[in-house]
Amino acid sequence: MNALSIDLESWVHRDNIITDRKEVDNGFIVKSTREILNILNRYNAKATFFIVSEIFEWYPELIYEIKNRGFEIAYHTYSHKIITSDKILNEEIKKSEYFLKKFKPIGFWASKIFLNENCLKILAKHGFKYDSSIYAPLGPRVTHSGIIEVPVSTYNLIGKPKLSFPKPLSYSLFFKEIPFGSGYMLGILGSKISHFIKNNNKKGIPTFMFVHPWQIIEVPKSKATNFFRNGISSIPYYINRKRSLEKLLEKYKFSNYCDVITDLG
């Protein structure tokens, strides 16, 4: 059993210059999320939705729909700010107070998978049970401040992989590990990441991977200039990988993070 997560953020959360986010999003996140829900239903797959809670303020009915269709709700900050300090995390959690009270998520995922280790104490204080904010191969269970760390899957190339914080996607990471569980590698390799999933499963190891809504439904062409502002290196993120996801769901069994973590004991 592998774990699939949906990084539920709109494409507007990738561009810090955009201010009126809901207006600019213009329903994109609703359309793309419902397409993902239909795909998951078609292949009888479960998934965890790590949600930027600002979206709950925009379209509350969408988040209730995800919950009512039996998918795990987890937390991905309020506004997709990078958590570079305790202060920012506390501010994001405070802004998400109603969302957290309503859905009581136990899983957390930092924006751009960047988190300092001392922030785990804050997560524990607010009732979170697991975190997935680093890249690493899955090994023996590691717990920090009462939080189980479940890394996004990588394939180790050289040396002994470390469960260190922060450990985001970076050029230095690529020299040591292939982050095949990332949306970035899905963009580069498409369904060919199947090679790594198969290798993991042969060893009895689940893969933890994610995909973004804007990898399933393309961003409106009129917004492309803003969308690509992050530079050439970000282009793999924006390749449509709807069919690649479907091929993976056809071939492998996927569940949500909570169930897979429970199965691991």
Side-chain angles (χ1 to χ4, degrees):
M1 185 75 73
N2 302 289
L4 175 65
S5 58
I6 310 302
D7 187 349
L8 200 70
E9 62 193 54
S10 172
W11 68 270
V12 300
H13 290 110
R14 301 288 301 178
D15 195 329
N16 294 327
I17 296 177
I18 295 174
T19 52
D20 298 326
R21 290 179 170 181
K22 181 181 179 181
E23 182 179 344
V24 177
D25 174 83
N26 194 30
F28 172 83
I29 192 64
V30 175
K31 181 181 178 182
S32 56
T33 300
R34 285 181 173 152
E35 179 62 22
I36 290 172
L37 289 170
N38 290 336
I39 292 171
L40 294 172
N41 181 66
R42 194 178 308 137
Y43 293 98
N44 195 30
K46 294 182 179 181
T48 295
F49 285 73
F50 285 90
I51 296 170
V52 171
S53 68
E54 184 178 35
I55 295 172
F56 179 56
E57 295 180 358
W58 300 351
Y59 312 110
E61 72 286 349
L62 178 66
I63 311 306
Y64 286 120
E65 181 178 347
I66 293 169
K67 179 69 174 179
N68 292 338
R69 290 176 71 163
F71 295 98
E72 181 188 5
I73 300 289
Y75 182 50
H76 190 40
T77 76
Y78 171 78
S79 62
H80 206 255
K81 281 187 177 180
I82 300 177
I83 308 301
T84 55
S85 69
D86 294 12
K87 180 182 178 182
I88 292 176
L89 178 57
N90 280 318
E91 288 173 348
E92 292 286 285
I93 288 175
K94 185 173 180 59
K95 290 178 181 177
S96 304
E97 187 175 356
Y98 184 67
F99 172 85
L100 297 175
K101 182 179 180 181
K102 195 70 181 176
F103 297 102
K104 296 179 174 58
I106 63 170
F108 178 78
W109 190 357
S111 303
K112 298 194 177 180
I113 310 192
F114 186 96
L115 191 71
N116 293 315
E117 187 172 353
N118 58 325
C119 287
L120 296 172
K121 294 179 182 178
I122 298 173
L123 295 177
K125 177 183 175 182
H126 288 277
F128 291 95
K129 302 298 182 185
Y130 72 86
D131 171 67
S132 187
S133 299
I134 61 172
Y135 287 97
L138 184 67
R141 192 177 82 175
V142 176
T143 304
H144 295 272
S145 303
I147 301 289
I148 299 171
E149 188 59 37
V150 189
V152 176
S153 293
T154 67
Y155 178 81
N156 194 52
L157 295 172
I158 58 172
K160 186 177 181 180
K162 296 180 179 180
L163 290 177
S164 56
F165 292 83
K167 193 179 177 186
L169 201 64
S170 63
Y171 290 118
S172 60
L173 175 67
F174 275 92
F175 284 112
K176 298 177 182 179
E177 302 168 46
I178 299 174
F180 70 91
S182 70
Y184 192 80
M185 289 306 297
L186 181 65
I188 293 174
L189 297 177
S191 61
K192 290 184 176 63
I193 65 169
S194 175
H195 167 78
F196 299 103
I197 299 173
K198 182 179 180 181
N199 184 64
N200 259 7
N201 291 173
K202 278 186 176 180
K203 298 175 182 178
I205 301 171
T207 288
F208 288 81
M209 65 170 287
F210 68 89
V211 63
H212 302 92
W214 28 266
Q215 292 183 280
I216 304 303
I217 297 290
E218 293 179 6
V219 174
K221 288 182 172 59
S222 61
K223 310 298 183 182
T225 301
N226 288 336
F227 197 45
F228 288 106
R229 190 177 282 137
N230 291 302
I232 294 176
S233 63
S234 66
I235 288 176
Y237 273 129
Y238 311 135
I239 299 171
N240 188 291
R241 288 305 187 191
K242 176 182 175 180
R243 184 55 192 145
S244 296
L245 176 62
E246 289 177 329
K247 286 182 178 180
L248 294 174
L249 293 176
E250 285 175 357
K251 193 169 184 179
Y252 300 100
K253 186 72 174 177
F254 283 92
S255 188
N256 60 47
Y257 267 52
C258 189
D259 286 353
V260 175
I261 292 169
T262 300
D263 286 346
L264 290 170

